[in-house]
Structures are given as structure tokens and as C-alpha cells.
């Protein structure tokens, strides 16, 4: 297996040289599988995306084809796709600086996935740990073949755009590795076609934990919603959840992930939202009670999220305009994807439509 990972979002030294004025390309996506993004998605992914769009040629998309690998309610999927897009934009993704689109509106994803399916080994696909976890949850016989080939569709998402970097969480490392393996395999069988992408893995410090169960990652599949901070929740709910966050029985405010996971999580959130280092926050709260920190953090977070929530609701109030922005993004994406797919089709020996070019 070919392995390469960068721990921050810096450009890896091994990357291809660029012409003057050209930027490295990054690509990422988040599934439209909840009614709101949570603070983990926001801090762990979206904030990084927004930061990257100036420095990189950034492509962000909503993988709705991936969403149907597990059963979905159609009306809910459509709504969640719009809600996810609205949150990306409200959170700072600028459609004039980057490319933002919905995966199913760019048919080349499914088309390239088929070709990649045909160069992926059954055993290789069987080793994907996320498939094993998800299939086990549903009972392996119930899991769809789509869920099995999910990582290959993800490889198609990536390879179509020839990106240098794929910013994702640690849980997606294996899928990016597979896309590297498939790129190398295709290139060596059919000739140089794909850029071999690097995984840009976000730093550990960006991980946000469940407020009620602070040793588990904040996740949409949490047992209770009380542990979640959702971008679209009303400020009262958010403040209440922060004030009810589980902490330990000591009183000292300090960062210690092992001994004090609850307080450490609140400090991480405080630090990432305020931009202040954890040490400074700890020093400021010396001698104060947990309650003080919680009250201040509730205010900080609700103030920070208020304009994002308002902007998302504005965007959702005009779905036709939102759909127009997404169609524009899909057109831009197709300009790149269609060229890669045409190259792939020619290399594998498919006849050109309408005769030789
Ligand atoms: P998911 O909602 O699990 O599909 O995750 C979408 C993106 O959000 C991925 O890039 C994750 O790494 C990131 N993410 C999800 N949960 C968290 C969390 N609790 N802390 C930090 N990042 C997260
Ligand atoms: N599988 C990713 C996740 O669950 C989402 C995804 C689909 C993705 N295609 C991608 C991420 C391509 C990066 C690049 O988070």
C-alpha cells in the first residue's frame, strides 16, 4: 500500500511543481446525513475548508450519491442536501472563490466509479474498515452493494479533479489510501492519467467531543441530542447544552484530556472559537468555578453561531436561488470532470461517441 499523509494543511514537499499563479487543488465533501452540521463538523472540517479557499484551488461538494448507500427518505435527503449546502455557504464557503456542487448533478462521478470498480479487487474492498463497521450495524446481509463500493465512488470523486490534497478526518485515511492505490494502478496499466492525491489529516486538537459523554467524538449518531451543539439549533438550546455539559467533581480548570475530558473539551471549543491559546484561557480562569467557564462559553458559542444560523435560514428561504448557485457549481465541476473522464474512457478502449477524434 502506498502511504502518504500530511498532519496539517500545509502543502506536502512531494507535491507537483506549479506554474506561476497556479494554486494547488484540494477537494473534500461531507455527507448530507443530518438536519444540521454539529460543532465537530464545523470546527473539524468547515473552518479548515474556509481557511483553505484563499490559498488553494478548492473544490467542495455534497456527496448525496454516498448518502443513499444506507436507506434514505427521499424528501428528507433533498432537504438535507439543501440544508448542508446552506450551512457550507453560511459558514464561509465562498462560491466565487471555490467550486461548490452536489455530487449527483455531476454524472461523471458515477461513470468513473464504474471503471474504478473494475480495477478494484474484491478482497481489497473487503478490507475497508468503515464498510465493516457500517455493515455490522445493519446486519451484514442487509448492507447494500452500494455501501460495499462506497470507497470506490469516493476514489472517483477525488481522482476526477486531479487534486493534490484531500482534507479529511482520520476516519477517512483508509479511503484516501485506496484512491492513491487506484490512481497508481490505473496509471501503470493505462498510462499517466491521475494525480496521486495526499491525505491532509487535520490535527488532533481539532477534535470535538460529546458534551454528555466527553470521551466519545461529537457525532450525529450520538445516543442523546443533549451532547450535541448543532449549527442550526436556537441559541437557548445551545446555551443550555453547554451549561449542562458533563464535567468532573474537581473544581480546577485545567487541560487534561485523560483525567478531565469534559473540561478539556470545553477548553478546546473555547480556544478554537475565540482563537486564543488554551494556556491563556486556563490562566484567565484560575480560581474560578466551572460554572463561570460554561456561562462565558455559552455566550461565546451562541454569538459566534448566530450570524451563521441566520445566513443559513436566509439561504433556505430562497431555495430557487440556492439551487441556481449549486447548478453553477456543478457546471464548473463538470468542466474538469468531463475532461478526466474522456481521457479515462479513451485509455480503457471505449469507442469515442460519433467517431474518432
Ligand atoms: P461526519 O459527520 O462523521 O461524516 O464527518 C464529516 C467531517 O466532519 C469529517 O471531516 C470529520 O472529520 C469531521 N468531524 C466529524 N465529527 C467531528 C468531531 N467530533 N470533531 C472534529 N471533527 C469532526
Ligand atoms: N466519505 C466521506 C465522509 O464520510 C465523504 C466523502 C465522499 C469524501 N467523497 C469524498 C470526502 C471525497 C473527501 C473526498 O466524510
Amino acid at each position: 500500500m502506498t502511504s502518504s499523509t500530511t498532519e496539517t494543511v500545509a502543502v506536502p514537499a512531494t507535491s507537483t511543481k506549479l506554474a506561476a499563479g497556479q494554486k494547488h487543488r484540494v477537494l473534500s465533501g461531507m455527507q448530507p446525513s443530518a438536519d444540521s452540521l454539529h460543532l465537530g463538523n464545523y470546527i473539524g472540517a468547515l473552518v479548515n475548508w474556509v481557511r483553505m479557499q484563499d490559498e488553494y484551488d478548492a473544490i467542495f461538494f455534497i456527496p448525496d450519491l454516498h448518502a443513499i448507500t444506507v436507506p434514505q427518505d427521499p424528501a428528507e435527503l433533498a432537504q438535507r442536501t439543501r440544508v448542508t449546502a446552506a450551512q457550507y455557504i453560511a459558514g464561509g464557503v465562498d462560491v466565487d472563490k471555490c467550486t461548490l456542487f452536489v455530487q449527483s448533478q455531476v454524472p461523471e462521478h458515477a461513470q468513473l466509479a464504474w471503471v474504478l470498480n473494475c480495477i478494484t479487487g474484491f478482497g481489497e474492498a473487503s478490507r475497508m474498515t468503515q464498510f465493516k463497521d457500517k455493515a455490522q450495524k445493519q446486519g451484514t446481509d442487509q448492507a447494500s452493494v452500494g455501501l460495499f463500493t462506497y470507497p470506490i465512488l469516493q476514489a472517483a470523486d477525488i481522482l476526477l479533479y486531479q487534486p493534490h490534497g484531500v482534507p479529511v478526518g482520520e476516519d477517512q485515511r483508509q479511503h484516501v489510501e485506496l484512491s492513491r492505490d487506484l490512481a497508481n494502478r490505473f496509471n501503470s496499466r493505462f498510462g499517466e492519467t491521475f494525480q496521486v492525491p495526499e491525505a491532509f489529516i487535520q490535527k488532533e486538537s481539532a477534535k470535538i467531543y460529546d458534551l454528555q459523554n466527553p470521551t466519545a467524538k461529537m457525532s450525529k449518531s450520538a445516543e442523546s441530542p443533549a451532547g450535541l451543539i448543532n449549527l442550526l439549533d436556537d441559541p437557548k438550546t445551545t446555551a443550555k447544552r453547554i451549561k449542562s455539559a458533563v464535567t468532573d467533581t474537581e473544581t480546577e480548570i485545567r487541560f487534561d484530556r485523560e483525567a478531565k475530558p469534559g473540561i478539556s473539551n470545553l477548553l478546546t471549543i473555547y480556544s478554537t472559537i475565540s482563537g486564543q491559546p488554551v494556556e491563556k484561557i486556563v490562566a484567565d480562569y484560575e480560581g474560578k468555578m466551572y460554572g463561570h467557564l460554561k456561562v462565558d462559553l455559552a455566550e461565546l458559542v451562541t454569538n459566534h453561531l448566530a450570524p451563521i444560523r441566520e445566513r443559513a435560514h436566509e439561504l433556505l428561504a430562497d431555495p430557487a436561488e440556492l439551487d441556481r448557485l449549486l447548478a453553477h457549481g456543478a457546471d464548473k465541476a463538470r468542466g474538469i470532470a468531463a475532461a478526466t473522464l474522456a481521457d479515462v474512457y479513451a485509455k480503457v478502449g471505449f469507442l469515442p461517441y460519433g467517431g474518432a477524434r
Side-chain angles (χ1 to χ4, degrees):
M1 216 181 242
T2 50
S3 170
S4 175
T5 303
T6 310
E7 294 304 331
T8 64
V9 290
V11 180
T14 52
S15 281
T16 325
K17 291 235 159 50
L18 294 176
Q22 206 189 346
K23 291 174 172 174
H24 284 281
R25 179 171 290 157
V26 292
L27 170 135
S28 197
M30 257 190 278
Q31 283 200 54
S33 44
D35 295 322
S36 172
L37 296 181
H38 57 68
L39 198 69
N41 302 136
Y42 177 67
I43 292 174
L46 193 54
V47 169
N48 282 308
W49 292 5
V50 171
R51 219 181 274 142
M52 277 185 277
Q53 59 187 354
D54 289 314
E55 198 184 332
Y56 294 93
D57 170 9
I59 301 181
F60 302 120
F61 72 102
I62 299 165
D64 57 343
L65 298 175
H66 280 105
I68 66 162
T69 56
V70 294
Q72 294 293 320
D73 174 77
E76 198 172 70
L77 175 63
Q79 175 60 11
R80 286 177 169 182
T81 302
R82 282 209 188 90
V83 168
T84 305
Q87 289 173 97
Y88 285 3
I89 298 171
V93 167
D94 181 340
V95 295
D96 294 325
K97 283 187 192 159
C98 65
T99 304
L100 171 65
F101 69 96
V102 174
Q103 185 189 30
S104 62
Q105 296 184 356
V106 180
E108 286 80 2
H109 290 246
Q111 291 174 293
L112 179 61
W114 178 254
V115 177
L116 297 180
N117 271 318
C118 298
I119 65 161
T120 308
F122 193 85
E124 189 175 29
S126 308
R127 284 193 291 276
M128 296 291 122
T129 55
Q130 193 174 68
F131 168 72
K132 289 194 239 175
D133 292 348
K134 287 191 183 176
Q136 207 170 28
K137 273 187 201 141
Q138 295 181 35
T140 310
D141 284 351
Q142 302 300 315
S144 69
V145 175
L147 188 65
F148 184 63
T149 59
Y150 175 120
I152 303 162
L153 176 60
Q154 182 165 351
D157 299 338
I158 298 170
L159 300 181
L160 272 178
Y161 298 94
Q162 316 279 2
H164 298 87
V166 184
V168 284
E170 179 60 42
D171 62 321
Q172 295 298 310
R173 185 194 292 272
Q174 197 186 30
H175 291 167
V176 180
E177 294 292 342
L178 178 70
S179 74
R180 291 173 58 80
D181 289 343
L182 294 179
N184 280 317
R185 189 171 308 155
F186 191 95
N187 288 349
S188 64
R189 273 192 209 168
F190 299 101
E192 241 358 85
T193 308
F194 294 120
Q195 164 82 26
V196 181
E198 318 255 346
F200 287 1
I201 305 286
Q202 282 126 37
K203 282 191 259 159
E204 165 68 15
S205 61
K207 200 184 268 182
I208 306 301
Y209 295 84
D210 188 291
L211 297 175
Q212 289 299 316
N213 181 12
T215 51
K217 238 177 68 164
M218 186 176 285
S219 161
K220 62 197 163 214
S221 45
E223 270 170 34
S224 143
L228 293 185
I229 298 175
N230 288 315
L231 260 52
L232 299 183
D233 280 345
D234 69 273
K236 270 196 196 138
T237 305
T238 300
K240 189 164 167 237
R241 288 183 187 172
I242 293 174
K243 289 176 195 166
S244 322
V246 165
T247 43
D248 53 73
T249 51
E250 292 179 11
T251 52
E252 193 192 356
I253 296 176
R254 68 187 158 84
F255 191 93
D256 183 339
R257 175 81 65 217
E258 297 289 305
K260 300 168 81 72
I263 281 294
S264 302
N265 187 36
L266 298 183
L267 287 168
T268 302
I269 297 172
Y270 200 125
S271 166
T272 46
I273 300 279
S274 68
Q276 296 176 36
V278 167
E279 304 78 61
K280 176 168 187 312
I281 302 163
V282 169
D284 288 348
Y285 281 89
E286 203 189 322
K288 293 193 181 151
M289 316 275 276
Y290 288 173
H292 288 122
L293 178 72
K294 288 182 174 176
V295 167
D296 293 349
L297 182 63
E299 192 181 319
L300 183 72
V301 171
T302 51
N303 284 343
H304 183 86
L305 295 184
I308 299 176
R309 180 170 163 266
E310 277 161 31
R311 179 77 184 115
H313 285 305
E314 260 170 45
L315 288 158
L316 289 167
D318 188 355
E321 172 60 10
L322 187 58
D323 291 353
R324 195 192 59 77
L325 292 177
L326 292 171
H328 177 66
D331 290 342
K332 274 208 292 191
R334 283 199 88 175
I336 307 168
T340 306
L341 187 74
D343 189 21
V344 168
Y345 270 26
K347 284 196 168 110
V348 300
F350 293 158
L351 280 187
Y353 175 80
R357 272 162 287 190

